């Protein structure tokens, strides 16, 4: 049995618990169980009552009055990314989660948003993060420009990058995703150039792959939100919120014992 945390990573938050540790290192945050744990800045766990104004677990958007339960965006006074004892200006998972013993399963870039998975099970982490398992990851991508049929076909069949050609991808045009939260700070837009949205699913894990793919077809990425990994989705998680699942994994089969070879029958003449 394994535990999986689904976390909606806000913009400009590192996918790790410390800005000094390598990605995927084990959390050393606190001793509380991750079950129903609230974020260090009060972002509520899924299932808390969103309608209790000012109460424990209430969610207040960026810019709302502070206090218990308020959400503070990266860099805001007293919020994640503000200069604290460590003197760091970058927010980490420790600003939102207390999950000792959990590891990130598949990184998400600092300037990307959306679904980040954490687990306390090494085998499950490998199953999710290792590219050889070819788990589909889906992104909502806001790009500068409008993708024509030729650009879509190139992305779908694979584009040539500096580290080689990408595998075929699932790509389609979409309207702006319904219910998508506003980014803080907002995306910079050029008045003379239109922007549009794509849904891109890939099975690889190269560094900044989606951004490089859209750039290869002259569609620079403005905003990148991961909405699904395998069968797990964001659903109704707001930025900074998390949900915890129990995953029942089949037990490992014991290795077959090698018995003594059966004696050979003697030949008789």
């Amino acid at each position: 049995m394994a535990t999986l945390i689904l976390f909606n990573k806000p913009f400009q938050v590192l996918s790790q618990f410390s800005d000094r540790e390598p990605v995927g290192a084990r959390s050393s945050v606190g001793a509380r169980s991750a079950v129903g744990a609230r974020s260090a800045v009060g972002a509520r766990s899924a299932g808390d009552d969103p309608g209790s104004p000012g109460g424990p677990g209430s969610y207040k958007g960026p810019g709302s009055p502070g206090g218990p339960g308020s959400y503070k965006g990266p860099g805001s006074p007293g919020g994640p990314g503000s200069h604290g004892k460590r003197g760091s200006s970058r927010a980490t998972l420790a600003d939102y989660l207390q999950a000792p013993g959990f590891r990130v399963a598949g990184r998400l870039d600092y300037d990307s948003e959306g679904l980040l998975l954490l687990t306390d099970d090494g085998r499950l982490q490998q199953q999710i993060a290792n590219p050889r398992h070819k788990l589909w990851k889906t992104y909502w991508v806001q790009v500068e420009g409008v993708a024509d049929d030729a650009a879509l076909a190139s992305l779908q069949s694979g584009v040539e990058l500096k580290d080689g050609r990408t595998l075929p991808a699932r790509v389609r045009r979409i309207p702006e995703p319904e219910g998508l939260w506003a980014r803080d700070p907002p995306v910079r837009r050029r008045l003379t150039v239109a922007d549009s949205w794509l849904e891109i699913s890939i099975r690889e894990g190269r560094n900044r792959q989606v951004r490089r793919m859209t750039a290869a077809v002259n569609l620079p990425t403005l905003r990148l939100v991961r909405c699904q990994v395998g069968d797990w989705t964001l659903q109704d998680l707001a930025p900074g919120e998390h949900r915890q699942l129990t995953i029942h994994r089949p037990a490992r089969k014991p290795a077959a014992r090698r018995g003594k070879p059966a004696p050979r029958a003697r030949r008789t003449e």
Side-chain angles (χ1 to χ4, degrees):
M1 186 171 65
T3 304
L4 187 70
I5 293 176
L6 282 63
F7 175 64
N8 187 348
K9 189 187 85 66
F11 180 63
Q12 291 185 343
V13 173
L14 292 171
S15 297
Q16 54 197 53
F17 285 92
S18 166
D19 59 357
R20 293 189 177 95
E21 72 181 12
V23 173
R26 194 176 291 273
S27 162
S28 59
V29 183
R32 275 200 304 164
S33 168
V35 179
R38 287 190 175 89
S39 85
V41 294
R44 60 184 174 87
S45 171
D48 290 343
D49 181 11
S52 55
S58 63
Y59 176 81
K60 300 178 182 178
S64 63
S70 63
Y71 172 81
K72 300 176 182 179
S76 64
S82 62
H83 291 276
K85 295 180 180 178
R86 294 178 299 174
S88 171
S89 61
R90 296 189 299 175
T92 70
L93 297 180
D95 294 301
Y96 295 89
L97 290 172
Q98 292 190 345
F102 280 74
R103 293 177 181 269
V104 171
R107 62 168 293 159
L108 189 59
D109 290 330
Y110 177 70
D111 51 356
S112 299
E113 309 161 69
L115 184 60
L116 184 69
L117 303 180
L118 302 92
T119 182
D120 58 355
D121 184 273
R123 285 196 296 154
L124 181 58
Q125 182 198 30
Q126 284 299 307
Q127 181 182 337
I128 295 169
N130 197 316
R132 68 185 178 89
H133 294 293
K134 294 183 170 55
L135 200 65
W136 285 100
K137 298 173 284 291
T138 301
Y139 301 83
W140 294 325
V141 191
Q142 185 181 15
V143 296
E144 187 175 86
V146 178
D148 57 20
D149 291 342
L152 287 181
S154 295
L155 292 169
Q156 290 166 350
S157 61
V159 294
E160 197 66 42
L161 303 178
K162 287 185 179 180
D163 52 356
R165 191 174 187 83
T166 61
L167 293 176
R170 300 169 181 168
V171 185
R172 65 188 183 101
R173 302 183 194 92
I174 59 170
E176 181 174 340
E178 185 178 354
L180 183 64
W181 58 90
R183 202 186 78 175
D184 182 23
V187 173
R188 293 182 179 180
R189 300 181 180 180
R190 292 197 293 172
L191 296 177
T192 57
V193 180
D195 59 80
S196 59
W197 286 86
L198 300 173
E199 184 180 85
I200 300 178
S201 299
I202 60 174
R203 294 184 294 169
E204 299 177 273
R206 304 190 201 184
N207 185 41
R208 301 180 73 82
Q209 180 174 338
V210 173
R211 295 178 186 274
R212 292 192 291 144
M213 287 172 62
T214 64
V217 293
N218 299 314
L219 295 168
T221 292
L222 300 174
R223 187 178 181 188
L224 186 65
V225 180
R226 184 158 68 193
C227 59
Q228 185 168 352
V229 177
D231 294 330
W232 299 294
T233 66
L234 276 175
Q235 292 183 345
D236 57 349
L237 289 176
E241 290 184 355
H242 68 277
R243 177 183 298 108
Q244 184 168 302
L245 304 175
T246 299
I247 308 296
H248 296 279
R249 294 175 53 82
R252 286 184 174 178
K253 294 182 179 179
R257 293 185 178 180
R258 292 184 177 181
K260 294 182 178 180
R264 292 184 180 181
R266 293 185 178 181
R267 294 178 61 184
T268 56
E269 298 295 338

